Amino acid sequence: MTTVHHGAPPDLSGRNLSLRRAAANRAATVGIGLCVLVAAFPLILVAYQVVVRGGSALSLGFLVEEIPRNYRTAGGGMGPAIVGTLLITGMAALIAIPVGVLGAVYLNEYGKSGPLARFIRTMADVMTGVPSIVMGLFIYVVYVVVIEERTGFGGALALACLMLPIVIRSTEEMLRLVPDELRQASAALGARKWRTTLSVVLPTASSGITSGALLAVARAAGETAPIIVTVGLTYLYRPDLFAGQNTTLAAQIYRNATQPFEASQERAWGAALALIAIVFLFTIVARVIASRFAVDRR
Amino acid sequence: MTATASPETSEDLDLGGDSRARGADRGFRGLVTLAGLMVLVVLALILVATALRAMPALSEEGLWGFITGTRWAPNEDVFGTFPMLYGTLVTSLIGMVVAVPVSIGIALFTTEIAHRRLRKYIVTVVDLLATIPSVVFGLVGVLVVVPFIDDWYQGLAGLVEPVPVLTSVFDESNTGRNYFTAGMVLAIMTIPIITSIAREVFDTVPETDKQAAYALGATRWEMIKGAMLPHSFGGLVGASMLGLGRAMGETIAVALVIGGSFHISANVFDTGNTMAAVIAQQWGESTGLHTDALVGIGVVLFAITVIINFAARWVVRRAETKMRGAHS
């Protein structure tokens, strides 16, 4: 700028921007806005299709009846798959959440920034990137082959492996938010470290831990690849996870989606709606817990 | 207790107590350490167990032959996985070409353009996109999109026919199931991941940098170009690589829309296969050496994604420390 303004300040309002600069700015703003629409479009498409097509398939009978053996048979339901989804995901949560929370306690309360803790942290991040199908193959090799049977528990183990790093990292995030004064106060009262951790640190962070764990559960419930590798297939209710093949909603969607028959496609849509409902339920509950009890994070 | 404990923690406050209490402490410490080590144990076991299982199939071809062989004929015990590796690369690349700019755009929109309330809605939309199971994307892809998208592909192929290189990349389409459709599905699935990291990266741009750009008379776009993007470049590269790792490992959605053939084609409108998808497609009917070969594909996939993830985290961390150094 060569001119020196006396009195009036320079005009930065953009009114005398060169045409090219104004146009570039406008174009960029529009382009950036379009990106949001690009993301919103598939969400709307998927939600609309699943609700409309799934809604017409969904009924009380669909939720409880057994799965027809023939793709072509109309009617029937997804009862065994719904029970299978809940049981297998629940078992995975029972395995992954305690181990994950304790692992996070190690990272935040004991290991801190030591070399082992730093290494575990890095590897947990790497583990979140391991494809779910690889987890399925892993459990197939070390569990399914050994007991010589595909079972619901094999699927639960695979899902637990997927959840473990997510639970560890989200729990550690929450433990880090617990103020150190609480630990010191507890120690000053004579509590041992394990006591302090179990009765002061973990309860303080409990809502955050629960919400993170539920998000991991929601993600696991929709997994397909590890299930088709380890769980097998059943048409009947199979509440025993340790004996006999099982099935889940996600596996049923995959199985039925590729068939050219009206009846099986309709079951796939119904199963998709049921699965999305389950996943959203977990997600919403997690959100509510996180925002409701956000106060104790200070 | 130990001399290494930092003074502000309770560890060096040994108020005595009986040996049983001390034992409980030590026991608890052992328990949580064990839980922490589980991550390392599982990762090591994945590598060792799957590699051992895949050994028979790998030794049939040799690791190099397994990766570079172009013929996949399980009933003749011929296991060349290059067509799948190629499919994985092509579909992930198509996905990234779409997902990276779109994700950066969304992240810019939420950090710079949208007002607070709108921002909340957009973040919710992206989060919802992340919660939809991949098999549902595959279902919508194969039953809704595939049936009509073929006509669009043919239209596009006709449009670029006179252009020399483009016409072999966007060639004739016989079915809606192809590399391109799979790439689009991967783009949709990786947008939430890349967006959320890109937002974190943009949040680290110092407010003073932005204000300085505005004070020099920059428009918003010039501010983004001049102050935000250079500052965030490393982080954005890392975010894209994390998305890439996710795309390469995605199985079910791709398995439904890729077509399932085993050739290498420069035409993105041609059917193909990816490493993850072929495992899912052939798992049910495989026995013996075929199963071992599928596990072998899993081993290669595991190695690739772990390397990409390592590299991505390294890039992100390096970018972060560089920025912290520059501004503290």
Side-chain angles (χ1 to χ4, degrees):
Chain A
M1 292 230 252
T2 48
T3 41
V4 179
H5 296 271
H6 291 290
D11 180 12
L12 293 178
S13 66
R15 231 169 306 148
N16 48 14
L17 273 181
S18 76
L19 202 62
R20 196 186 54 78
R21 291 176 64 203
N25 190 40
R26 188 56 58 85
T29 309
V30 170
I32 288 171
L34 277 179
C35 291
V36 176
L37 293 184
V38 168
F41 174 69
L43 183 70
I44 294 166
L45 176 73
V46 167
Y48 175 79
Q49 293 290 340
V50 170
V51 168
V52 168
R53 299 205 190 189
S56 65
L58 215 57
S59 64
L60 189 62
F62 185 84
L63 293 177
V64 295
E65 271 173 50
E66 285 169 352
I67 305 163
R69 278 161 198 274
N70 193 321
Y71 288 118
R72 273 174 252 225
T73 315
M78 279 290 152
I82 293 173
V83 172
T85 302
L86 295 176
L87 285 179
I88 291 171
T89 316
M91 178 61 86
L94 277 183
I95 302 166
I97 294 174
V99 177
V101 169
L102 289 178
V105 166
Y106 169 74
L107 291 181
N108 197 58
E109 308 293 317
Y110 290 92
K112 291 175 184 164
S113 52
L116 178 62
R118 283 223 308 271
F119 185 57
I120 290 176
R121 241 172 244 131
T122 310
M123 292 320 259
D125 282 344
V126 169
M127 198 171 162
T128 43
V130 173
S132 60
I133 186 116
V134 172
M135 290 298 184
L137 294 174
F138 163 59
I139 295 302
Y140 173 82
V141 171
V142 299
Y143 180 75
V144 177
V145 170
V146 173
I147 69 159
E148 295 179 332
E149 191 181 18
R150 298 181 185 194
T151 62
F153 189 66
L157 283 176
L159 294 186
C161 288
L162 283 172
M163 289 169 65
L164 180 65
I166 309 176
V167 174
I168 288 188
R169 293 303 264 150
S170 71
T171 305
E172 200 202 349
E173 255 349 271
M174 294 304 132
L175 292 180
R176 198 173 301 149
L177 295 173
V178 175
D180 240 0
E181 290 87 342
L182 287 182
R183 295 187 184 88
Q184 287 156 4
S186 172
L189 290 172
R192 287 256 158 203
K193 185 149 184 171
W194 68 272
R195 200 68 203 274
T196 304
T197 304
L198 288 184
S199 51
V200 176
V201 177
L202 284 178
T204 310
S206 61
S207 63
I209 295 173
T210 316
S211 135
L214 276 175
L215 288 177
V217 171
R219 224 192 106 185
E223 278 294 344
T224 318
I227 298 296
I228 58 175
V229 173
T230 56
V231 165
L233 174 67
T234 179
Y235 306 98
L236 312 170
Y237 280 101
R238 183 73 39 90
D240 185 356
L241 289 182
F242 294 93
Q245 302 195 2
N246 220 311
T247 192
T248 70
L249 283 169
Q252 287 297 329
I253 299 171
Y254 177 61
R255 197 175 146 262
N256 283 297
T258 43
Q259 298 303 321
F261 312 112
E262 193 80 22
S264 79
Q265 292 186 359
E266 195 176 301
R267 274 193 291 278
W269 286 111
L273 184 55
L275 178 61
I276 284 196
I278 291 175
V279 171
F280 272 27
L281 188 71
F282 281 128
T283 312
I284 290 168
V285 172
R287 288 276 154 111
V288 169
I289 291 176
S291 61
R292 204 59 194 278
F293 302 96
V295 209
D296 61 11
R297 290 194 204 168
R298 309 266 162 112
Chain B
M1 277 196 188
T2 51
T4 48
S6 53
E8 70 270 13
T9 62
S10 55
E11 264 170 309
D12 51 0
L13 272 176
D14 192 355
L15 301 175
D18 55 276
S19 59
R20 221 184 61 202
R22 217 170 297 180
D25 239 3
R26 212 166 296 144
F28 186 69
R29 190 196 175 110
L31 181 72
V32 297
T33 311
L34 216 63
L37 288 173
M38 277 306 285
V39 170
L40 305 183
V41 172
V42 169
L43 273 178
L45 268 179
I46 291 175
L47 188 60
V48 174
T50 50
L52 280 180
R53 169 80 198 198
M55 224 23 120
L58 289 177
S59 56
E60 188 87 9
E61 306 279 344
L63 183 60
W64 188 243
F66 187 75
I67 294 174
T68 57
T70 52
R71 189 150 172 271
W72 175 262
N75 40 4
E76 300 167 38
D77 288 350
V78 176
F79 304 109
T81 61
F82 192 71
M84 288 84 104
L85 178 64
Y86 174 79
T88 300
L89 293 177
V90 169
T91 52
S92 317
L93 213 67
I94 294 171
M96 288 305 104
V97 166
V98 177
V100 170
V102 169
S103 305
I104 292 176
I106 297 172
L108 284 174
F109 193 85
T110 51
T111 50
E112 290 307 313
I113 297 181
H115 298 289
R116 184 166 298 167
R117 189 180 303 168
L118 185 57
R119 182 181 315 165
K120 237 174 72 185
Y121 286 128
I122 294 168
V123 171
T124 311
V125 165
V126 175
D127 284 353
L128 281 178
L129 209 54
T131 59
I132 294 176
S134 67
V135 68
V136 176
F137 281 119
L139 178 72
V140 174
V142 73
L143 292 186
V144 180
V145 178
V146 161
F148 77 82
I149 201 86
D150 189 33
D151 291 342
W152 295 21
Y153 291 159
Q154 275 166 7
L156 187 60
L159 267 182
V160 299
E161 184 130 40
V163 191
V165 182
L166 282 182
T167 187
S168 46
V169 176
F170 299 103
D171 207 349
E172 219 166 294
S173 157
N174 300 313
T175 158
R177 303 185 188 201
N178 53 37
Y179 294 123
F180 195 79
T181 311
M184 288 303 115
V185 172
L186 289 178
I188 295 166
M189 297 185 63
T190 46
I191 282 173
I193 304 167
I194 305 176
T195 303
S196 77
I197 304 172
R199 273 178 47 217
E200 278 172 33
V201 171
F202 286 142
D203 277 342
T204 66
V205 178
E207 198 57 33
T208 47
D209 283 20
K210 300 187 205 168
Q211 297 303 340
Y214 282 133
L216 290 171
T219 62
R220 181 156 59 203
W221 171 237
E222 287 162 349
M223 184 282 288
I224 290 171
K225 238 177 16 175
M228 293 186 76
L229 292 183
H231 187 284
S232 322
F233 185 73
L236 294 179
V237 170
S240 310
M241 286 166 73
L242 285 177
L244 179 67
R246 180 75 195 277
M248 293 179 82
E250 176 47 44
T251 311
I252 293 299
V254 174
L256 285 169
V257 298
I258 189 77
S261 66
F262 296 95
H263 57 232
I264 298 169
S265 169
N267 177 11
V268 294
F269 294 150
D270 210 338
T271 56
N273 223 324
T274 71
M275 303 170 78
V278 76
I279 303 174
Q281 286 168 354
Q282 303 197 342
W283 187 257
E285 67 227 33
S286 72
T287 50
L289 210 54
H290 187 186
T291 305
D292 298 346
L294 293 179
V295 175
I297 295 178
V299 176
V300 178
L301 190 60
F302 175 71
I304 294 176
T305 48
V306 164
I307 291 170
I308 288 181
N309 266 279
F310 253 124
R313 310 263 169 204
W314 184 75
V315 169
V316 172
R317 195 159 325 131
R318 217 184 55 140
E320 267 172 10
T321 46
K322 206 172 82 187
M323 285 312 146
R324 215 171 291 135
H327 288 281
S328 58

